[in-house]
Amino acid sequence: MRRRTAVALLASTLASASLLTACGALPESGPDRRTVTVWLMKDSASKDFIDRFTDEFERTHGDLELDVRIQQWTGIGDKVQAALKGPADDAPDVIEVGNTQVAQYVAGDGLLDLTLESMRDWGRDDWLPGLAEPGKYVFRQYGIPWYAANRVVIYRKDLFARAGIKKPPKTREQWLADTRKLDSGGTQGIYLAGQDWYTLAGFIWEEGGELATESDGTWEGALNTPAALRGMDFYRRLQSLGEGPVDADEEHPPQAGVFAKGQVAQIVAVPGLARAVVQANPELEDELGYFPVPGRTAARPGAVFTGGSDLVVPKNTDDRRGAIAVIAALAGAKWQKELARTMDYVPNKTTLAGVVADKEGVAAMAAGAAQGRATPSSPEWAAVEADNPIKDYMTKVLTGSDPAAEAARASRRITETLAVAEE
């Protein structure tokens, strides 16, 4: 009887171990592990983060191992398109893409529809709109938000104090009033280049306008609507309170270098730009502060352009289950928090913003990201940016041309570019 009991106990133990392994509780080993290939972009995550993620993922998914391959941004569009059309055994299973790039990959019918998992398992309703919206195409979710970054106002605390400004503004009108105070005595109230069209986009969205609108599959430029014109007018008033060039963008010259010279009170930029400012002028290290771009009312920050990345699964993957497991982990709460802390990003959900509350710049970015937007989700929007009529429009308005006439002209160019690109 004892022998039979021992045998039964051993059989039961082996069965339990087998069940646990099938559920992922115990790691498997040996030749049956399947490899999931993941493409991540250079500098999106540190080597330490990738190593820690890989170790835990493989430990908790005993039948899978990861092959993470770092990609360069230069030329990535063509490389991704080739991968989406290539044979399954040579294709990546998960790809990090820019949030505004998703539409062009969907248009080629190359991505897996992840709508079900998004709604059922991944909490889509809490995602940042600036990442979720461009990942969606015709009501289906293809891009899964991974991380976000957006512009805030970086300001000089000492110059604010000297002007008698005790706290950062929370409304656009107060922002204008404070900037007028700062714009005196050899100090620029703000350095805002005349062609910083991403910042303009936020002002337009805050007024309820759009860069372009879609109807029945046809896109049209929308800079000439009353709401969009109000956004441009606010930009004009703010830009005039400094000496930013009207015929150049924020990289010509790089605004970090201008700010570092010590005669500018504010710039609109991602918080990470402060590192370049301090590197050029170490005396400013303790003088820089951050606040979200103000909105029309104090109830919430203003709308901003949200940059960042989404994760996608090629339709030609040969391991759909493994790919979805990777995205579930990378986009899940634990590793979202880890990524935000490690890289100073905004997590993909508004409910996770508290994880960066102790970092002033990232916290300001997270507050703004809740009102974030992305460029129009036309697969052809890149053609507009390549020969950007918005920049020309801004310069014309800032040099005295009629805003309505120039907005109409720029809108026609956008419409024509999208129509030609779609043919």
Side-chain angles (χ1 to χ4, degrees):
M1 287 291 292
R2 287 182 189 168
R3 186 173 182 279
R4 290 179 62 188
T5 300
V7 170
L9 179 60
L10 177 60
S12 175
T13 301
L14 291 174
S16 297
S18 176
L19 179 60
L20 287 171
T21 300
C23 294
L26 293 177
E28 290 180 359
S29 59
D32 293 334
R33 289 172 68 107
R34 306 189 314 280
T35 298
V36 181
T37 301
V38 181
W39 284 8
L40 297 182
M41 300 309 300
K42 186 178 184 297
D43 298 327
S44 285
S46 67
K47 182 178 183 302
D48 174 68
F49 173 89
I50 294 172
D51 289 345
R52 287 187 290 116
F53 175 79
T54 299
D55 288 345
E56 177 166 304
F57 183 86
E58 292 182 346
R59 179 173 55 80
T60 56
H61 297 77
D63 58 337
L64 301 174
E65 63 180 25
L66 293 186
D67 178 12
V68 179
R69 303 181 186 181
I70 303 303
Q71 308 296 315
Q72 302 293 326
W73 283 107
T74 302
I76 190 59
D78 291 341
K79 189 170 184 178
V80 170
Q81 293 285 21
L84 298 181
K85 297 174 183 176
D89 58 358
D90 193 41
D93 301 293
V94 176
I95 308 176
E96 174 195 350
V97 300
N99 61 323
T100 61
Q101 297 174 337
V102 178
Q104 68 188 59
Y105 301 136
V106 175
D109 195 31
L111 300 183
L112 200 64
D113 180 357
L114 300 173
T115 306
L116 175 61
E117 291 83 1
S118 300
M119 298 176 65
R120 183 189 63 196
D121 305 323
W122 297 339
R124 186 172 73 172
D125 290 345
D126 293 328
W127 284 343
L128 295 176
L131 295 180
E133 289 175 4
K136 188 187 302 180
Y137 193 74
V138 193
F139 306 109
R140 296 182 180 275
Q141 196 75 42
Y142 296 90
I144 307 306
W146 192 28
Y147 67 82
N150 51 268
R151 288 161 174 75
V152 301
V153 183
I154 306 177
Y155 74 102
R156 287 275 302 274
K157 295 178 180 179
D158 55 334
L159 296 182
F160 268 54
R162 190 182 305 167
I165 302 170
K166 296 181 179 180
K167 57 184 180 180
K170 289 191 174 182
T171 68
R172 297 207 310 187
E173 289 306 314
Q174 187 61 52
W175 191 17
L176 281 174
D178 289 347
T179 304
R180 289 192 192 98
K181 287 183 183 179
L182 293 160
D183 192 38
S184 64
T187 297
Q188 296 183 54
I190 189 169
Y191 180 85
L192 184 60
Q195 295 183 348
D196 186 351
W197 73 277
Y198 282 126
T199 296
L200 170 64
F203 296 165
I204 288 174
W205 292 326
E206 180 67 8
E207 290 289 348
E210 300 288 348
L211 302 179
T213 58
E214 182 267 339
S215 178
D216 296 328
T218 299
W219 285 89
E220 294 185 351
L223 297 175
N224 55 335
T225 65
L229 287 168
R230 290 195 299 270
M232 182 66 228
D233 184 62
F234 179 80
Y235 191 100
R236 178 190 60 77
R237 288 189 288 160
L238 186 65
Q239 198 273 341
S240 70
L241 300 175
E243 299 174 11
V246 297
D247 58 351
D249 61 25
E250 65 275 19
E251 291 300 324
H252 300 89
Q255 63 177 343
V258 178
F259 195 31
K261 292 178 180 178
Q263 297 173 318
V264 172
Q266 307 170 86
I267 58 173
V268 181
V270 293
L273 195 70
R275 288 191 292 270
V277 174
V278 172
Q279 185 175 14
N281 186 352
E283 294 182 2
L284 295 181
E285 183 168 10
D286 296 326
E287 301 295 349
L288 300 182
Y290 312 83
F291 60 87
V293 172
R296 287 184 297 170
T297 72
R300 60 172 181 77
V304 290
F305 169 76
T306 301
S309 288
D310 281 11
L311 299 170
V312 300
V313 177
K315 188 177 283 187
N316 61 0
T317 178
D318 59 0
D319 193 348
R320 184 183 190 279
R321 187 174 68 84
I324 288 175
V326 170
I327 289 185
L330 283 173
K334 175 178 180 176
W335 289 103
Q336 278 294 296
K337 293 177 181 179
E338 288 291 326
L339 186 67
R341 293 190 190 103
T342 301
M343 304 300 295
D344 287 345
Y345 292 145
V346 178
N348 63 4
K349 289 184 177 180
T350 55
T351 53
L352 299 176
V355 73
V356 295
D358 60 340
K359 297 185 176 185
E360 183 184 1
V362 189
M365 192 162 59
Q371 315 304 324
R373 296 280 303 276
T375 50
S377 58
S378 165
E380 317 301 342
W381 182 256
V384 174
E385 294 190 24
D387 184 26
N388 200 324
I390 304 174
K391 289 185 173 185
D392 293 341
Y393 158 59
M394 296 171 73
T395 295
K396 292 287 182 59
V397 173
L398 295 177
T399 53
S401 296
D402 178 63
E406 295 301 334
R409 184 176 293 112
S411 294
R412 285 195 298 272
R413 284 182 59 192
I414 291 173
T415 301
E416 291 166 1
T417 300
L418 294 177
V420 169
E422 288 169 357
E423 291 176 355

